[in-house]
Amino acid sequence: MRLRALLDHDALGLRLLGGADELDRTVRGVMTTDLRDPSRYLTGGELVLTGLAWYRTAEDSEPFVRILVSAGVAGLAAGEAELGDVPEDLAVACARHRLPLFAVNESVAFATITEYVVRQVSGERAGDLAAVVDRHRRLMTSGPAGGGPDVVLDLLTTDLDLHAWVLSPTGRQIAGAGAQLPADVGALLAAEHLAATRTGRRGPHRVTVKGTAYSLFPVRGHDRGSDRGAGATAQDVRQTLLSDWLLAVEADAGDWPAARLDLLQGVTQLIAVERDRRDAARTVRRRLAQEVLELVQSGAAPPEIAARLRVAAPVLLPGIGSAPRWQVVVARVEWDERDGATIDSGPVAQSLLEEILVEQSLPDGTTAPGSLDRIAVARTGEEAIALVPLAALPSEAGDTEAGLYADALLGAVREPLSAGLADDGRLTLGLSASVHSADGLRGALEEARHARRVAAARPGRVCAAGHHELASHVLLLPFVPDDVRRAFTARLLDPLRDYDQRHRAELIPTLEAFLDCDGSWTRCATRLHLHVNTLRYRVGRIEQLTSRDLSRLEDKLDFFLALRMS
């Protein structure tokens, strides 16, 4: 708005005392102050309201006006309630520095002027941004995208002073204006969003993270049900929940007018177009991975698979070399069907695995696909299967192991995904070792599938296992029937648990420490802070209650497995 608009509104009770030639200045905000030096709170373009409490003598006017002009304010409005008429020396100082000066009648509250200015400025900004958003929407739906969501987020910041970020369901920042959102904050926001969405509440979801208020708006493409909201079934939510983006705005939208909420919904629809474009661009990579997977599963000859891999490698990771190594990652999302819903979780697993693999740092110094455009994930049934190309190692490196590791893969995404899976879903992943040729790809696929089954046998909503664990006893335990596991552990450990409960003897902890110390009496006694004779008494009691001999390897192994399965 322009300064002259203030004089057109009689209810404001403003009289122009000077600066008639400067009334075309733009007003970007309003500030009330009685500080002698308010410069720290000024950013430029404000209409400054003052009750003149700072004024003591005529010498005070010049420094005050000079400070306002240096800060770039649009104009000054002085109230008449404190001193009556505005001091003449203040009018002279304003005229000297060409700063428009208004007098505010004592019957008019500063709050009235503030409300009017804020309403006018916000309305103009919202209208301008709405027009820009509409123009960008038309451009992006009818032709090539011009800059992606970053352009729109920049407009939110410059025109509405709203800081916003587009986040993936794992909390990874996809786009943002201004400062980078800390990774831990992004993960917490994604977790809050997924948890709130699972309740069926309509967005935006308002949360506070580390003392800062945020409003979270879901971003859904047209094929994900953009009109989904309150009343959506559990099946609807779960089929798209873990593949939706979100828009996080650093503000509390609880008291926003309907027009601003509609504007932000328009922004999410614009971002959804970009999401759909990225999904479409991923089609080529998915098709290549699907072709390789079908060849591997059909038992095709290694030369035929190798030829297809040679085509896929430069598309998936340019510059990786002509003879890369490959690693297979298998993922599966499973939902309890207690509500009778049948959920096709294959597409969710595929989208989620693509997201998890973005920007994964590898121990050999290379990087897994570094953007959404470089992920190759195929799907068969409810399984998602990724082919991860790894740079060929130098010849002097020999058989050094490298690639993705299970723990690192889930480190930053476990919390948000657990919130989205809630109490009725699970995500499990399995990772193979790297293979150097097409001959080993079939074995890598089976290895990754076995590792995923190991992960599925563990407690928790999000679990992963790697090929390193397949050379251990843990490979066998998941495939032991539950009733056999229960009978085996009960026969060995129930007598000890009962005795501990009655006598507080701590036989189970003693047994665990004894096995962990490889049967060393001295090391075990030191660890438990016991005298060796006390330790011998406890071990003797364990042997007596179970009819086992802890000096025998077979009995030690049985106890070890029972503890692992309990």
Side-chain angles (χ1 to χ4, degrees), residues 22 30 204 470:
E22 305 292 334
V30 62
L470 300 186

Side-chain angles (χ1 to χ4, degrees), residues 421-441:
L421 294 164
D423 61 349
D424 61 350
R426 294 198 74 206
L427 167 67
T428 51
L429 294 94
L431 289 74
S432 76
S434 61
V435 295
H436 301 266
S437 66
D439 303 62
L441 208 52

Side-chain angles (χ1 to χ4, degrees), residues 107-388:
S107 64
V108 178
F110 282 177
T112 301
I113 301 173
T114 299
E115 182 181 354
Y116 174 79
V117 172
V118 169
R119 186 167 60 247
Q120 293 297 115
V121 171
S122 297
E124 290 174 2
R125 287 179 177 174
D128 291 345
L129 184 58
V132 173
V133 168
D134 184 63
R135 182 169 69 252
H136 273 262
R137 182 188 294 111
R138 291 197 301 271
L139 286 172
M140 293 181 73
T141 54
S142 61
D150 289 290
V151 175
V152 181
L153 299 186
D154 283 337
L155 290 171
L156 282 177
T157 299
T158 56
D159 286 8
L160 290 183
D161 198 26
L162 291 176
H163 300 283
W165 301 266
V166 178
L167 304 178
S168 76
T170 65
R172 179 180 61 87
Q173 182 172 320
I174 296 166
Q180 181 88 4
L181 190 69
D184 59 334
V185 174
L188 289 171
L189 291 176
E192 293 281 1
H193 170 73
L194 291 171
T197 303
R198 284 302 305 272
T199 67
R201 290 189 284 117
R202 186 184 296 273
H205 308 301
R206 296 149 55 202
V207 300
T208 300
V209 173
K210 296 189 174 181
T212 302
Y214 296 89
S215 296
L216 310 177
F217 295 80
V219 175
R220 301 185 179 108
H222 298 296
D223 59 342
R224 293 180 179 83
S226 56
D227 296 326
R228 189 184 73 214
T233 66
Q235 179 180 359
D236 293 334
V237 172
R238 290 184 294 185
Q239 286 192 154
T240 61
L241 176 74
L242 297 176
S243 55
D244 287 341
W245 288 358
L246 68 135
L247 175 66
V249 181
E250 190 179 316
D252 187 343
D255 57 353
W256 282 5
R260 178 166 287 203
L261 288 173
D262 289 344
L263 173 62
L264 266 293
Q265 294 296 344
V267 171
T268 64
Q269 293 170 17
L270 185 59
I271 295 170
V273 174
E274 177 68 12
R275 172 66 194 264
D276 291 340
R277 287 187 183 278
R278 294 195 186 189
D279 282 350
R282 216 183 292 176
T283 303
V284 174
R285 267 72 65 183
R286 285 180 170 179
R287 185 167 63 245
L288 283 171
Q290 197 72 36
E291 290 174 358
V292 173
L293 176 63
E294 290 173 359
L295 288 174
V296 171
Q297 294 194 129
S298 65
E304 185 178 359
I305 300 174
R308 177 52 53 187
L309 287 176
R310 282 194 294 272
V311 173
V315 175
L316 300 181
L317 199 57
I320 198 170
S322 58
R325 295 167 300 128
W326 298 89
Q327 189 174 15
V328 178
V329 183
V330 174
R332 183 166 181 157
V333 175
E334 298 172 292
W335 301 99
D336 295 342
E337 297 185 5
R338 60 192 181 199
D339 54 4
T342 301
I343 300 174
D344 182 8
S345 59
V348 176
Q350 185 177 36
S351 177
L352 195 54
L353 184 55
E354 286 169 335
E355 168 60 31
I356 291 173
L357 289 175
V358 172
E359 300 292 357
Q360 288 294 325
S361 179
L362 304 176
D364 61 1
T366 64
T367 302
S371 72
L372 290 174
D373 294 337
R374 298 299 171 192
I375 299 292
V377 180
R379 178 163 57 89
T380 172
E382 294 188 344
E383 273 187 344
I385 301 170
L387 298 175
V388 181

Side-chain angles (χ1 to χ4, degrees), residues 303-544:
E304 185 178 359
I305 300 174
R308 177 52 53 187
L309 287 176
R310 282 194 294 272
V311 173
V315 175
L316 300 181
L317 199 57
I320 198 170
S322 58
R325 295 167 300 128
W326 298 89
Q327 189 174 15
V328 178
V329 183
V330 174
R332 183 166 181 157
V333 175
E334 298 172 292
W335 301 99
D336 295 342
E337 297 185 5
R338 60 192 181 199
D339 54 4
T342 301
I343 300 174
D344 182 8
S345 59
V348 176
Q350 185 177 36
S351 177
L352 195 54
L353 184 55
E354 286 169 335
E355 168 60 31
I356 291 173
L357 289 175
V358 172
E359 300 292 357
Q360 288 294 325
S361 179
L362 304 176
D364 61 1
T366 64
T367 302
S371 72
L372 290 174
D373 294 337
R374 298 299 171 192
I375 299 292
V377 180
R379 178 163 57 89
T380 172
E382 294 188 344
E383 273 187 344
I385 301 170
L387 298 175
V388 181
L390 308 172
L393 289 171
S395 56
E396 63 271 16
D399 293 327
T400 302
E401 187 56 62
L404 299 168
Y405 288 101
D407 291 340
L409 202 61
L410 295 181
V413 304
R414 193 183 302 275
E415 182 174 354
L417 294 185
S418 295
L421 294 164
D423 61 349
D424 61 350
R426 294 198 74 206
L427 167 67
T428 51
L429 294 94
L431 289 74
S432 76
S434 61
V435 295
H436 301 266
S437 66
D439 303 62
L441 208 52
R442 183 178 182 86
L445 175 59
E446 291 306 313
E447 191 174 58
R449 282 174 166 161
H450 278 302
R452 193 204 65 79
R453 294 190 193 102
V454 171
R458 294 173 174 167
R461 290 291 159 193
V462 181
C463 298
H467 63 93
H468 299 89
E469 301 173 69
L470 300 186
S472 169
H473 63 279
V474 296
L475 175 62
L476 303 175
L477 299 185
F479 306 103
V480 178
D482 288 343
D483 54 345
V484 174
R485 291 158 63 103
R486 284 192 295 268
F488 180 73
T489 57
R491 189 176 301 114
L492 278 175
L493 301 182
D494 279 1
L496 306 183
R497 292 193 182 104
D498 293 342
Y499 190 87
D500 280 348
Q501 189 173 6
R502 292 196 309 270
H503 302 284
R504 298 183 180 179
E506 298 187 355
L507 295 185
I508 293 288
T510 300
L511 175 62
E512 291 175 330
F514 186 72
L515 295 175
D516 195 43
C517 292
D518 299 322
S520 169
W521 297 99
T522 303
R523 282 195 290 127
C524 183
T526 301
R527 174 182 294 190
L528 296 175
H529 306 289
L530 298 174
H531 192 279
V532 173
N533 289 341
T534 304
L535 175 61
R536 290 185 184 277
Y537 171 80
R538 289 187 182 180
V539 170
R541 179 62 66 182
I542 293 171
E543 293 173 336
Q544 180 185 9

